[in-house]
Amino acid sequence: MTTATPPVRPLVDRYGRHVSYLRISVTDRCDFRCVYCMAEDMTFLPKKDVLRFEEIEAIAGAFIARGTTRIRLTGGEPLVRRDIMDLVATLGAKIGHGLDELTLTTNGSQLRRHAQGLAEAGVRRLNVSLDTLDAARFAAITRRGRLDDVLAGIDAAQAAGLAIKINMVAMRGVNDDEIESMMAWAHGRDMGLTLIEGMPLGEVGIDRVDSYLPLRELHDTLARRYTLTKLDKRTGGPARYVHVAETGGVLGFITPMSHNFCESCNRVRLTATGQLFLCLGQDDQVNLRDALREGGPVALDAALDQAMLIKPKGHDFVIDRTRPEPALGRHMSVTGG
Ligand code: SAM
Ligand code: SF4
């Protein structure tokens, strides 16, 4: 379903890219501490700095009025924010009224109790992050998660009719031996599997140079064992998809490191404190919370115009063996993955 009337002033940046996709980090907190994402001893934001639901709704409404048709809630872990289902219900009510789709990216830990509510609010698809099917390895990667909780959450989501895509960060020497078994499992359950290259965001717990697995290389290895047919499914995002004849499922590759996807970028990211980041890999940002609090809807709308003027052309992550520090100090959980 698409919007009936085109937006009056669509959000278009200096490079002619239409921004139609907003990712909202509803919290920087999480019940896991995945080694590639967070340090063991993360300091989280004081609650007073975090946007209230009314503020998130006002910002989402301003985007929808300017032609945003897809919203994804993320974090941190979106389902650990208190009363999160209230926000999901309010945003879900905008589906068919400018919004085409509301989705979530979740670690699945709280999915069992929320799956039915998400479906009732109009959510149709979820991305669930899962890097291994081995319980001990899962505990080691997430530092505090339980595999069984996530698997029960996936069961509940499928029972509620939600389509699921599994996101797996592929790490050399950590879980690269499980890629084929994860694919067989996911495709056997009618779920897509998308492999993600680890990105150098924030100080964390692993050596990213050693665990970095270029997905182009992995794709070529898989192509020798499976019949991979390129799909034309473009999302304006970093993923490229293939159909796997042997499993009948879809395999995605998110390659921010080895493939630059910026020319078709259609997205921006709102942090839990109301900073609008214009690129996952750059610092350019606009403070929508201050605009809204100090100037109301008019200032908020002007801030969206300002954002379009400064959205950068692209990012340039490089794995550099001589520079062990992250490319960007900001963790993925801050920007909203
Ligand atoms: N907590 C939720 C989850 O894990 O799905 C949502 C937020 S999480 C930051 C979103 C996605 O970012 C997850 O799929 C996670 O694996 C991925 N991610 C986090 N840090 C990353 C990094 N440094 N490189 C690549 N992917 C990362
Ligand atoms: Fe939490 Fe998701 Fe980051 Fe893991 S990847 S620590 S689940 S925010």
Side-chain angles (χ1 to χ4, degrees):
M1 205 184 343
T2 31
T3 318
T5 34
V8 186
R9 289 178 301 124
L11 294 169
V12 183
D13 75 1
R14 287 174 295 167
Y15 305 99
R17 297 172 299 189
H18 281 245
V19 169
S20 57
Y21 181 20
L22 173 64
R23 298 169 75 105
I24 302 177
S25 173
V26 296
T27 177
D28 65 326
R29 288 167 198 259
C30 187
D31 50 349
F32 293 180
R33 296 287 183 280
C34 300
V35 287
Y36 47 77
C37 178
M38 291 193 183
E40 174 85 66
D41 55 341
M42 291 292 284
T43 308
F44 294 112
L45 295 163
K47 291 217 168 78
K48 66 173 175 44
D49 289 352
V50 172
L51 288 177
R52 299 188 297 272
F53 283 165
E54 312 86 82
E55 292 173 319
I56 295 179
E57 287 155 18
I59 293 171
F63 271 95
I64 294 169
R66 303 279 309 261
T68 291
T69 54
R70 291 172 64 203
I71 291 181
R72 176 177 295 278
L73 303 182
T74 179
E77 173 47 39
L79 296 180
V80 302
R81 178 145 177 193
R82 188 196 293 245
D83 298 328
I84 183 65
M85 296 310 284
D86 292 349
L87 179 69
V88 171
T90 315
L91 295 180
K94 297 183 189 293
I95 297 171
H97 303 279
L99 193 64
D100 289 342
E101 186 180 56
L102 177 65
T103 55
L104 254 92
T105 298
T106 174
N107 66 22
S109 68
Q110 313 296 316
L111 199 47
R112 183 151 70 159
R113 66 194 172 98
H114 288 312
Q116 189 60 37
L118 290 168
E120 284 166 12
V123 174
R124 294 289 166 261
R125 299 192 298 136
L126 294 178
N127 286 357
V128 178
S129 303
L130 181 61
D131 304 318
T132 175
L133 287 170
D134 178 283
R137 197 178 266 183
F138 183 86
I141 293 175
T142 63
R143 293 201 186 101
R144 49 186 76 170
R146 280 178 14 108
L147 177 64
D148 283 348
D149 293 341
V150 178
L151 296 179
I154 291 172
D155 288 343
Q158 288 198 306
L162 297 168
I164 296 183
K165 182 161 74 67
I166 301 292
N167 280 346
M168 172 184 189
V169 177
M171 292 165 278
R172 194 189 295 282
V174 178
N175 64 353
D176 51 343
D177 57 341
E178 271 192 85
I179 288 169
E180 289 180 53
S181 52
M182 285 280 288
M183 182 169 79
W185 169 77
H187 291 178
R189 295 190 51 149
D190 208 18
M191 302 185 292
L193 175 70
T194 294
L195 304 171
I196 307 179
E197 271 176 2
M199 288 178 267
L201 303 175
E203 290 289 352
V204 291
I206 51 165
D207 184 330
R208 277 156 170 147
V209 173
D210 284 352
S211 63
Y212 174 59
L213 179 65
L215 291 188
R216 188 166 293 178
E217 185 184 307
L218 180 70
H219 171 279
D220 294 348
T221 309
L222 289 174
R224 285 193 283 276
R225 296 177 48 96
Y226 297 88
T227 318
L228 308 181
T229 312
K230 205 167 159 203
L231 295 175
D232 212 17
K233 186 170 146 171
R234 293 296 293 266
T235 59
R240 297 288 177 274
Y241 295 96
V242 296
H243 178 263
V244 185
E246 288 75 6
T247 59
V250 174
L251 180 65
F253 298 86
I254 298 188
T255 54
M257 306 295 296
S258 59
H259 178 96
N260 201 295
F261 48 83
C262 306
E263 70 283 354
S264 60
C265 180
N266 63 356
R267 60 200 56 200
V268 291
R269 294 176 161 82
L270 182 68
T271 70
T273 56
Q275 295 293 332
L276 187 73
F277 279 100
L278 287 322
C279 173
L280 183 60
Q282 302 276 10
D283 268 328
D284 305 77
Q285 57 191 281
V286 171
N287 188 331
L288 297 188
R289 183 185 63 180
D290 286 357
L292 179 64
R293 287 187 183 169
E294 289 159 21
V298 173
L300 177 60
D301 197 49
L304 298 190
D305 289 324
Q306 172 62 20
M308 291 305 100
L309 291 177
I310 64 166
K311 183 169 164 62
K313 192 167 184 195
H315 70 244
D316 191 17
F317 294 135
V318 224
I319 286 276
D320 181 346
R321 289 187 175 273
T322 62
R323 292 178 62 229
E325 71 272 18
L328 206 63
R330 196 164 87 225
H331 289 92
M332 186 78 133
S333 54
V334 172
T335 325

